[in-house]
Amino acid sequence: EPEVTQTPSHQVTQMGQEVILRCVPISNHLYFYWYRQILGQKVEFLVSFYNNEISEKSEIFDDQFSVERPDGSNFTLKIRSTKLEDSAMYFCASSKGQALEAFFGQGTRLTVV
Amino acid sequence: TQLLEQSPQFLSIQEGENLTVYCNSSSVFSSLQWYRQEPGEGPVLLVTVVTGGEVKKLKRLTFQFGDARKDSSLHITAAQPGDTGLYLCAGLDSGGSNYKLTFGKGTLLTVNP
């Protein structure tokens, strides 16, 4: 069964460093998303991406964050100058259409020290 | 800001019991999705409900979408230890963007053998 895959599963980084989280969405899906979940809190929307551009972003997704689809399969989230409060699980998701079911990856646990 | 309130927050029952968990909002959603999440993993989609009043069954799980598309319930019949997990509801925005899901905090279900 097709699935969304994310790498790495766990990333530890020092405060101030840049990280890139990688995702391979389901191959025939057209809409891509990043969500995050701080420990013990809700899953929160960060950004959606369609047709090589951002469709919508939340107030969390400030200039520190960027997304890219560098080739036909990967979808990345870059966090510049990480802060302690960026520590969270980051989930990538994809869907066939904008109002259709979203399928989530296993997540990347980011720990900023 | 749309909010989804899930209740109860925690539920611990014995194997074989029935249970219902609820997802409520003051906002209308174009659709509502139920996910199950295991610790340290991504949400796994269970079902999507779209039409007000819709009922969907998935083996021992019954999902209902309220007539006004503001609330939903999940009923589990004869719960089993394998049903243990965090059950999340997530609404797709009706009035504005179709690009993001708003999640509830979830109901943590424990089914004891």
Side-chain angles (χ1 to χ4, degrees):
Chain A
E1 187 172 318
E3 59 181 16
V4 177
T5 56
Q6 291 186 240
T7 54
S9 56
H10 192 185
Q11 172 101 39
V12 181
T13 188
Q14 290 211 319
M15 194 167 53
Q17 296 296 304
E18 174 182 287
V19 295
I20 297 177
L21 310 183
R22 301 180 192 280
C23 169
V24 179
I26 295 173
S27 63
N28 62 346
H29 285 189
L30 301 176
Y31 292 80
F32 315 117
Y33 314 87
W34 284 100
Y35 287 78
R36 79 171 185 191
Q37 187 177 30
I38 295 170
L39 187 64
Q41 298 187 22
K42 291 183 191 182
V43 177
E44 300 174 289
F45 169 79
L46 292 178
V47 67
S48 58
F49 192 86
Y50 169 70
N51 202 25
N52 283 318
E53 60 183 27
I54 290 174
S55 311
E56 185 168 355
K57 59 184 180 179
S58 71
E59 60 276 7
I60 303 168
F61 194 89
D62 58 21
D63 292 343
Q64 181 194 7
F65 295 89
S66 62
V67 289
E68 193 178 32
R69 188 156 164 80
D71 53 45
S73 60
N74 290 286
F75 179 51
T76 62
L77 173 68
K78 182 190 290 186
I79 310 175
R80 285 180 281 276
S81 189
T82 48
K83 302 181 284 232
L84 294 176
E85 53 266 38
D86 294 328
S87 295
M89 282 287 281
Y90 287 82
F91 295 109
C92 173
S94 68
S95 64
K96 275 189 185 176
Q98 67 185 53
L100 299 179
E101 294 98 334
F103 293 86
F104 284 74
Q106 293 281 79
T108 293
R109 179 175 299 283
L110 176 66
T111 304
V112 182
V113 297
Chain B
T1 304
Q2 295 180 307
L3 288 174
L4 277 168
E5 299 291 337
Q6 289 191 246
S7 61
Q9 191 175 352
F10 301 97
L11 185 58
S12 180
I13 61 170
Q14 293 301 120
E15 183 175 1
E17 292 183 4
N18 301 333
L19 67 112
T20 303
V21 299
Y22 300 93
C23 175
N24 295 297
S25 175
S26 57
S27 305
V28 176
F29 291 97
S30 57
S31 68
L32 200 136
Q33 301 174 18
W34 282 92
Y35 292 84
R36 188 171 127 185
Q37 186 179 24
E38 303 290 342
E41 297 186 8
V44 175
L45 181 67
L46 296 174
V47 79
T48 300
V49 285
V50 179
T51 308
E54 182 177 5
V55 176
K56 279 193 175 177
K57 292 197 172 187
L58 189 67
K59 297 183 181 176
R60 291 176 294 100
L61 278 59
T62 302
F63 304 85
Q64 184 160 8
F65 202 12
D67 290 341
R69 289 187 290 130
K70 292 183 179 181
D71 54 85
S72 182
S73 63
L74 159 60
H75 181 79
I76 302 179
T77 305
Q80 298 175 1
D83 296 327
T84 293
L86 180 66
Y87 289 83
L88 299 169
C89 66
L92 198 61
D93 192 337
S94 172
S97 147
N98 276 318
Y99 300 115
K100 66 179 182 186
L101 290 169
T102 298
F103 278 84
K105 279 192 171 181
T107 292
L108 184 60
L109 173 65
T110 303
V111 182
N112 302 298

